[in-house]
Amino acid sequence: MLYQLTVKGFGIIERIAWQPAAGLNVITGETGAGKSLVVDAVEALLSGRVQEDDIRHGTDEACIEGVFKVPRGALRGLLAGKGLEADEDSLVISGDFRRQGRATPRVNRQVVSRALLQGIGAALVDIHGQSEHLSLLHEEQHLDFLDAYARTRDLRREFAARAAELHQAEREIQALSRSEQDLARQKELLGFQTEEIRRAALRAGEDGELETELARLVAAEKLKAASYEIYSIIYGDESISASPSAVDRVGEALSALRQVVETDPSMKDKLGYLEEVLHGLEEMAREVRAYGDSLNHDPRQIEEVQARLELIRSLKRKYGGSIEGVLKYLAGAEAELAGLTSSGERRRQLEAEKEELRGRMGALAAQLSERRQQAAEKLAAAVKRELADLDMAQVEFAVSITREPSPEGIPLPDGGTYRFDARGIDVVVFIASTNPGEPAKPLDKIASTGEISRFMLALKSALAGADTIPVLIFDEIDIGVGGRSGEIIGRKLWNLSRHHQVICVTHLPQIAAFADAHYSVSKRTLGVRTVSTISVLEGYSRLAELAVMIGGPGTTASARNAAADLIQRAERWKKSTS
């Protein structure tokens, strides 16, 4: 439902903050006070645009904000998918409309496109008047209404699931249906690539190991000389004139330390440490000598390592920036090659699955169509009864259900093949004739504002339990309507408000008497400017408003009595139907 509507700088509205109630909200007021501006503001908010004349004179910007309770269903999924879902099921839609520049629509404080805004608005509010938000004027939604009325949603979801499977199979068949020449070329290329990579027998990290080995092989002579020098420094060499080695000097230190320990045993732990140092030096000298002995400058081995590295670099350039990337490419190429090899068998399997799916879909579509036909007759009869109550018995209403033959469609048990989408094979259009003898036309061809509003009221009443749009707004529904019909319209609006939040702008007291919440729009002069305000009417103020609507300004006691009678009669009727 609509929790709050805030409007600034729109028409003669300087600022209003309106909180409509649940149930039936009625807005009344004298002509020109700005009653319809409230409806116009909601329409501007949900369409994301206003005319420049709608912005209040003397201001450069109009600001409108609506706070809604988000209904369950497809809208929740749409909001979640766009990252717009809010806490506590609330949804804030706002728009800043500048005299110079584009409008800035926002949903939950995030700027959104006008197309997304309008999609969200269509799921929230239905404005019944000359409005693009009137969902029943959009033929693509008629099938949704009929399926909700027929309770075929589960069957339709099953059909949609099979349709998705069929489309997936068709896409895979198309991918497999490339020419044999293309397949042969692809198989040859993949075969060459996989064989080239397999033959290399790569190991992860191998290139790093080879780089290290190559560096060691190239510097073998230098490393050998260095290792011998290290050995001679530690262990000494055979030259008579050579200076004492590190081992000799540590040995001398060890002998001296033993003499110290004989006199001062506290140094004994240092003696053990020095002995370990000596043994470590001897061991390291032997290992360095062995390392030097193992080194040989082998040009052939260097060439082999360089060739292996060049092979790895070449494969990385072709198939990935690393050995891991090359191996990953190999796995993918092998899988694709296996798929191409078995593509003929897979294609035959998919063709069989496709035909089986088309048959199942045909049976489901036939069930859907049968239930829709039955529901269409009941819906047409229900709408006609509602129209008769509204003194529109001459209006004819029907639900047109047609199919489009197509060789690429799905076969039905009757032998025909028809075009389909995720909702089935049926094209559903609500049609009506408002004048006897005239052919039935789509609803968007009905021109009269008051007539179409009452017609939509009849249709909404018939669809009350199936219509998922939470907020219904009726503007100018009482054009050309007398008191008796006004009371009937009031009853129907109140019945609708048991399933929806209903907002109605009216001039008829017979309608206003059924309000769960009654508001008055009035205008007054502040300084040199006219402003429009909205206020809630309760108790005596509501009675006085109805009396003015009945008898005009300067109400009499009889007008007030008549107003009280209307309210009492409406309340009795509401209690009798609760």
Side-chain angles (χ1 to χ4, degrees), residues 216 219-225 227 290-297:
R216 184 174 59 83
E221 293 300 328
K222 186 187 295 185
L223 293 173
K224 182 186 286 287
S227 64
Y291 169 75
D293 290 341
S294 70
L295 293 171
N296 289 299
H297 182 73

Side-chain angles (χ1 to χ4, degrees), residues 246-301:
V247 170
D248 292 339
R249 297 307 300 270
V250 173
E252 292 172 2
L254 187 59
S255 296
L257 187 57
R258 286 194 182 102
Q259 294 176 11
V260 172
V261 171
E262 288 176 1
T263 304
D264 185 359
S266 66
M267 293 294 288
K268 188 174 182 179
D269 58 333
K270 304 298 187 292
L271 181 64
Y273 176 73
L274 195 55
E275 287 174 343
E276 289 178 6
V277 169
L278 180 59
H279 292 319
L281 278 171
E282 292 172 339
E283 181 65 25
M284 186 178 71
R286 286 191 292 270
E287 289 178 0
V288 170
R289 178 63 181 263
Y291 169 75
D293 290 341
S294 70
L295 293 171
N296 289 299
H297 182 73
D298 187 344
R300 193 173 73 174
Q301 190 176 4

Side-chain angles (χ1 to χ4, degrees), residues 475-548:
D475 189 20
E476 300 186 84
I477 197 170
D478 50 14
I479 292 178
V481 173
R484 180 181 174 279
S485 294
E487 184 171 348
I488 294 171
I489 291 173
R491 291 179 179 182
K492 292 190 180 297
L493 288 171
W494 189 83
N495 267 328
L496 273 180
S497 72
R498 300 167 77 175
H499 302 277
H500 309 267
Q501 182 189 40
V502 178
I503 298 169
C504 177
V505 176
T506 184
H507 293 277
L508 284 181
Q510 289 84 357
I511 295 176
F514 285 87
D516 296 313
H518 190 160
Y519 304 89
S520 173
V521 174
S522 59
K523 63 180 180 180
R524 56 198 176 95
T525 301
L526 292 177
V528 295
R529 299 301 305 275
T530 300
V531 297
S532 181
T533 59
I534 186 169
S535 56
V536 63
L537 299 179
E538 295 176 320
Y540 181 79
S541 63
R542 183 185 179 207
L543 181 69
E545 175 74 3
L546 288 179
V548 169

Side-chain angles (χ1 to χ4, degrees), residues 333-351:
E334 287 176 335
E336 186 177 354
L337 186 59
L340 290 174
T341 303
S342 60
S343 62
E345 178 182 348
R346 176 59 177 161
R347 188 161 56 248
R348 288 188 292 273
Q349 178 186 350
L350 285 169
E351 291 286 0

Side-chain angles (χ1 to χ4, degrees), residues 203-253:
R203 288 185 298 104
E206 181 184 2
D207 47 352
E209 296 171 5
L210 288 171
E211 292 285 357
T212 301
E213 183 180 358
L214 179 62
R216 184 174 59 83
L217 287 171
V218 170
E221 293 300 328
K222 186 187 295 185
L223 293 173
K224 182 186 286 287
S227 64
Y228 287 158
E229 183 179 357
I230 294 168
Y231 177 80
S232 64
I233 291 171
I234 296 173
Y235 232 116
D237 56 29
E238 298 176 355
S239 171
I240 296 175
S241 61
S243 60
S245 67
V247 170
D248 292 339
R249 297 307 300 270
V250 173
E252 292 172 2

Side-chain angles (χ1 to χ4, degrees), residues 401-416:
I401 302 179
T402 58
R403 304 168 180 173
E404 181 181 334
S406 171
E408 288 80 31
I410 54 174
L412 260 64
D414 64 7

Side-chain angles (χ1 to χ4, degrees), residues 334-459:
E334 287 176 335
E336 186 177 354
L337 186 59
L340 290 174
T341 303
S342 60
S343 62
E345 178 182 348
R346 176 59 177 161
R347 188 161 56 248
R348 288 188 292 273
Q349 178 186 350
L350 285 169
E351 291 286 0
E353 290 179 6
K354 175 182 172 181
E355 290 309 308
E356 191 268 340
L357 277 170
R358 291 176 73 245
R360 289 170 61 189
M361 289 172 64
L364 287 171
Q367 293 180 51
L368 265 174
S369 291
E370 182 178 358
R371 290 177 60 177
R372 286 167 175 167
Q373 290 284 356
Q374 295 170 355
E377 294 176 6
K378 294 178 181 178
L379 177 59
V383 171
K384 288 179 182 178
R385 287 194 296 271
E386 298 288 344
L387 289 169
D389 289 343
L390 295 169
D391 286 341
M392 296 178 71
Q394 79 282 3
V395 173
E396 293 294 327
F397 171 80
V399 180
S400 168
I401 302 179
T402 58
R403 304 168 180 173
E404 181 181 334
S406 171
E408 288 80 31
I410 54 174
L412 260 64
D414 64 7
T417 304
Y418 301 97
R419 190 189 69 80
F420 70 96
D421 60 21
R423 305 185 299 174
I425 61 170
D426 300 309
V427 178
V428 174
V429 179
F430 294 164
I431 58 175
S433 170
T434 56
N435 297 301
E438 293 296 319
K441 299 177 182 179
L443 298 186
D444 60 357
K445 305 301 181 184
I446 301 175
S448 167
T449 300
E451 194 171 51
I452 197 170
S453 294
R454 291 194 298 278
F455 182 87
M456 294 309 164
L457 175 58
L459 196 47

